[in-house]
Amino acid sequence: MIEATELSRSFRVTRKSGRRLRRIREEVVAVRSVSFTVEAGEAVGYIGPNGAGKSTTIKMLTGILVPTSGRVRVCGLDPSRQRIDLARRIGVVFGQRSQLWWDLPLAESFQLLRHIYRTPPSDHAERLEECTELLGLKGFLTTPVRQLSLGQRMRGEVTAALLHAPELLVLDEPTIGLDLESKQRLREFLAELNTRRRTTLVLTTHALDDIERLCRRMLVIDRGRVLADGPLERLRVEVGLERTLVVDLERPTAPLRGLAGVVEVRTETDGRRQRLSFQADRTTAAALITAVARQAPIHDVSVVEPEIDDVVRRLYARGPTTAEHPGRFDAPNDVLRAP
Amino acid sequence: MLTDVRALIGCYLRIALAGFHRYATYRQATVAGAATNIVFGLIRVGILAAVYTAQGGGSVGGYDLTTTVTYVWLGQGLLSIVEFWGGTELTNRIRTGAVVVDLSRPWNPQAALLAEDTGRAGFAALARLVPPVLFGMVVFPFRWPDNPWVPVLFLVSALLAMVVSFGARFLLSLTAFWLLDSRGVLGVYQVVSSTLAGLEIPLGYFPGWARTALWFTPFPAMLQSPIDVFVQHGSAVALLVHQVVWAVLLLSLGQLLLRSAVRKVVVQGG
Ligand SMILES: Nc1ncnc2c1ncn2[C@@H]1O[C@H](COP(=O)(O)OP(=O)(O)O)[C@@H](O)[C@H]1O
Ligand SMILES: [Mg+2]
């Protein structure tokens, strides 16, 4: 479905610098030599911190940006040369942009898209009905888009991207800014789309929990480079992706050691607050809470998800043994002075 | 093949309808805009009438008083069809990066924007052209065309004026790909274009060399031409041909510039 070979993209930017505010021309390498393939039916999470190069990759996959070098094929097409043909076969959602018509009712945007994508009316109606049902759009189909909440709008965006029955759905930060419930609902819908319809999914995110529930495979990118590619479970083993249960106890307590699945305990305020890092594949937050409650009365709890920044840090720390380009990892920065 | 063409036309027609609908949702702004156009029309009529009185009647720049008054009302009506002062949407979309959405659809972005602008202009023709012209007809002496084809040619010319204006604004908006922010460029354009198109005073009032020079620009085609077609000032065929030439030229340039923008330049933001 997707074949990217040594894909790179750099931007020339001018920056004012120094005491005399001279304009310096620099080249920012947003994506450097990225290679990966995605098979039909896969669900791939493309994850990395802000500025890692995720959106730039997506823009190259969808033909909006021409790569500086390298080769990319999506659905067997060259995205930038065959942009329009490709656009008919893929769906794209940009989390921070809207593809809906701001001033018009949601339903009208959908009708317009039917004409733009030239979808047969019956196929369109069937898909729309399915999305309306699964995503619960009924209540706001006639509302102008500008009056929708972010969660409602995002459901509309995803529907808009699916009405022409794309083989591949690409989502750039689809859950950004959504509340927990909306995120959950969207993830469930996408998971269903992937398993039932066999629609290939590629989604970018900087939140690990998006991937956790949805993508069997993840690609970690930082500073334009792929640091890891594989199933989440493997990565978890490799870098130890622990969640952390933070418990506030009624009174000072000795460190709660020996709980199953817990790999690290840190205490604060005389043991009144304890941070239990646990491996999500060995225990659950609920089981842990029960276990803690047996030892000491609990006042409050919260769960902290691992941050992508931690993952990236550990991937760098993991050293060159499994890295694809050993020795090039510690390139001083991603800004190279243009000649 | 035939169904392809039909689908293609259906697509852009739909976009045009959506453009019409979009602007039709802003009723209060429409009423306020039409009222403003009429008020400014009154002021302009007052000033130009004073010019005629000072001169002791006759004709100025090839227009008699009745024709000049008619010129003013048609100009006030055409103003919002041609839209010298609006149309910063594309620039903003490029500046904020929202343009990625336009570039990710199976359409020609320029054609889609033109279709939408045509829909907008269609709504403006009903809601913004008719009121000032009707007002002028009823309240002031009016230069009626002497044959029924003239209004038809006028509408064709008004449509071309809108296309030429769109073509120019589209080109300028695209500079945002390089300049990051082309609001300055558009600001200057907005001030200059309406004057050079003959909004404030008819181009006939300009010195001869300036008039000649202006025909080598698209500006007269944006406003003066449809008005001249209506008041039958000069050859309608020459005016329309001039408009068509500029429309084709500007749209083609826009197409080329868009292509190189996408190829070489950046789309902002994540
Ligand atoms: N249009 C652009 N012009 C200059 N630099 C850009 C442009 N787009 C992205 N970049 C730079 O490329 C890098 C990657 O950006 P991006 O792909 O948007 O990251 P992400 O989506 O992972 O947050 C960043 O350093 C960003 O500043
Ligand atoms: Mg991004």
Side-chain angles (χ1 to χ4, degrees):
Chain A
M1 188 63 72
I2 300 176
E3 253 182 86
T5 321
E6 309 254 314
L7 200 56
S8 301
R9 169 76 207 203
S10 47
F11 294 104
R12 206 162 292 153
V13 292
T14 50
R15 184 168 65 86
K16 295 220 173 86
S17 149
R19 258 160 286 149
R20 295 217 220 116
L21 286 181
R22 268 187 321 173
R23 287 158 69 87
I24 304 180
R25 278 200 141 204
E26 291 177 331
E27 204 155 87
V28 177
V29 184
V31 172
R32 53 181 81 188
S33 206
V34 162
S35 303
F36 61 90
T37 53
V38 176
E39 303 297 332
E42 270 195 288
V44 178
Y46 198 61
I47 190 168
N50 276 327
K54 304 182 296 291
S55 299
T56 304
T57 311
I58 296 298
K59 286 174 193 162
M60 290 192 282
L61 294 182
T62 51
I64 295 168
L65 267 180
V66 184
T68 310
S69 66
R71 198 185 109 103
V72 59
R73 286 282 176 281
V74 178
C75 300
L77 303 174
D78 178 343
S80 57
R81 295 208 172 178
Q82 296 163 293
R83 188 185 68 76
I84 290 184
D85 290 333
L86 181 63
R88 273 184 225 296
R89 296 175 54 182
I90 64 176
V92 191
V93 174
F94 293 101
Q96 287 135 300
R97 321 259 171 238
S98 182
Q99 56 178 321
L100 304 166
W101 280 258
W102 215 236
D103 316 284
L104 301 179
L106 188 55
E108 205 164 316
S109 282
F110 294 154
Q111 282 311 313
L112 256 171
L113 288 167
R114 172 168 87 71
H115 290 275
I116 291 167
Y117 284 87
R118 301 187 209 164
T119 318
S122 57
D123 294 4
H124 176 91
E126 187 187 315
R127 281 243 146 190
L128 182 55
E129 201 182 297
E130 193 183 339
C131 288
T132 303
E133 165 127 16
L134 290 176
L135 286 166
L137 306 178
K138 201 154 223 141
F140 49 89
L141 275 174
T142 55
T143 310
V145 172
R146 70 184 123 86
Q147 291 169 17
L148 298 180
S149 73
L150 183 61
Q152 293 173 329
R153 209 203 76 207
M154 195 48 66
R155 285 182 260 164
E157 301 283 351
V158 172
T159 304
L162 290 173
L163 290 171
H164 58 288
E167 301 153 51
L168 166 70
L169 180 63
V170 181
L171 307 104
D172 191 9
E173 306 262 7
T175 59
I176 202 161
L178 292 185
D179 58 78
L180 268 179
E181 198 199 314
S182 306
K183 271 188 199 177
Q184 197 49 38
R185 182 167 200 164
L186 184 60
R187 286 175 193 141
E188 273 164 24
F189 174 80
L190 292 175
E192 173 116 350
L193 186 75
N194 178 242
T195 43
R196 284 265 189 85
R197 287 264 177 185
R198 307 288 302 148
T199 304
T200 312
L201 287 184
V202 171
L203 69 95
T204 79
T205 180
H206 63 270
L208 272 168
D209 47 347
D210 276 343
I211 309 271
E212 199 128 47
R213 319 252 147 88
L214 196 56
C215 304
R216 281 174 295 282
R217 172 181 167 204
M218 73 191 240
L219 274 149
V220 183
I221 179 171
D222 183 51
R223 299 189 204 169
R225 237 190 256 287
V226 172
L227 296 186
D229 177 358
L232 185 61
E233 296 76 40
R234 201 174 79 204
L235 207 71
R236 185 172 276 133
V237 175
E238 278 186 31
V239 296
L241 285 182
E242 299 108 8
R243 303 171 80 195
T244 303
L245 181 75
V246 182
V247 286
D248 285 332
L249 302 167
E250 294 284 356
R251 50 182 172 276
T253 310
L256 300 160
R257 299 202 189 282
L259 298 170
V262 175
V263 292
E264 191 187 4
V265 181
R266 277 167 294 164
T267 59
E268 289 167 28
T269 56
D270 306 332
R272 224 187 283 251
R273 168 171 288 181
Q274 306 212 359
R275 294 173 178 276
L276 312 172
S277 301
F278 65 98
Q279 290 174 334
D281 49 345
R282 288 182 51 204
T283 184
T284 64
L288 212 51
I289 292 168
T290 316
V292 172
R294 263 191 238 116
Q295 298 191 15
I298 297 178
H299 178 66
D300 199 5
V301 294
S302 60
V303 178
V304 180
E305 302 291 341
E307 295 284 334
I308 181 63
D309 296 312
D310 291 328
V311 176
V312 167
R313 207 173 310 120
R314 291 193 200 179
L315 281 170
Y316 277 117
R318 176 182 68 171
T321 44
T322 43
E324 258 180 77
H325 305 289
R328 285 178 64 195
F329 264 179
D330 48 7
N333 55 42
D334 53 344
V335 178
L336 304 175
R337 192 64 59 88
Chain B
M1 186 62 206
L2 199 66
T3 52
D4 266 11
V5 173
R6 215 187 290 149
L8 192 71
I9 292 170
C11 162
Y12 290 107
L13 203 64
R14 272 287 163 153
I15 298 169
L17 278 175
F20 186 100
H21 191 175
R22 257 188 88 180
Y23 286 87
T25 55
Y26 295 105
R27 297 224 177 94
Q28 282 173 351
T30 305
V31 173
T36 312
N37 285 0
I38 291 175
V39 171
F40 274 89
L42 286 170
I43 296 171
R44 289 180 51 208
V45 167
I47 294 170
L48 290 174
V51 173
Y52 279 83
T53 320
Q55 201 197 243
S59 108
V60 180
Y63 303 90
D64 62 18
L65 184 57
T66 304
T67 310
T68 305
V69 172
T70 307
Y71 187 105
V72 169
W73 293 115
L74 289 171
Q76 288 303 103
L78 286 168
L79 196 49
S80 39
I81 292 187
V82 172
E83 185 145 274
F84 293 109
W85 301 322
T88 48
E89 201 176 319
L90 177 59
T91 294
N92 291 336
R93 288 179 73 76
I94 296 171
R95 187 169 49 85
T96 60
V99 74
V100 295
V101 173
D102 307 321
L103 295 176
S104 67
R105 294 218 162 105
W107 65 14
N108 180 320
Q110 189 197 36
L113 280 171
L114 177 59
E116 188 180 350
D117 209 44
T118 308
R120 177 199 59 74
F123 177 71
L126 294 180
R128 303 285 298 274
L129 171 67
V130 172
V133 174
L134 213 58
F135 180 85
M137 272 179 191
V138 173
V139 179
F140 289 89
F142 197 78
R143 170 80 158 79
W144 296 96
D146 62 14
N147 82 66
W149 282 107
V150 170
V152 176
L153 288 180
F154 167 74
L155 287 180
V156 173
S157 181
L159 180 70
L160 284 166
M162 174 244 130
V163 175
V164 171
S165 168
F166 168 86
R169 277 184 286 117
F170 182 80
L171 266 178
L172 291 174
S173 298
L174 286 189
T175 59
F177 276 113
W178 287 271
L179 302 178
L180 305 190
D181 192 347
S182 57
R183 279 177 295 185
V185 176
L186 278 171
V188 172
Y189 172 80
Q190 287 169 358
V191 174
V192 173
S193 62
S194 57
T195 305
L196 298 185
L199 176 70
E200 282 85 5
I201 49 171
L203 298 182
Y205 291 25
F206 284 43
W209 62 266
R211 262 178 294 160
T212 313
L214 278 173
W215 285 106
F216 289 95
T217 74
F219 298 112
M222 296 178 192
L223 194 84
Q224 166 102 17
S225 298
I227 299 177
D228 275 352
V229 166
F230 191 92
V231 301
Q232 297 171 283
H233 186 262
S235 149
V237 173
L239 290 168
L240 289 168
V241 167
H242 178 257
Q243 285 187 299
V244 170
V245 168
W246 273 109
V248 171
L249 205 64
L250 289 171
L251 289 181
S252 317
L253 274 175
Q255 204 62 251
L256 286 175
L257 196 66
L258 177 65
R259 211 168 295 168
S260 78
V262 172
R263 192 143 282 280
K264 293 208 196 85
V265 197
V266 298
V267 174
Q268 293 299 305

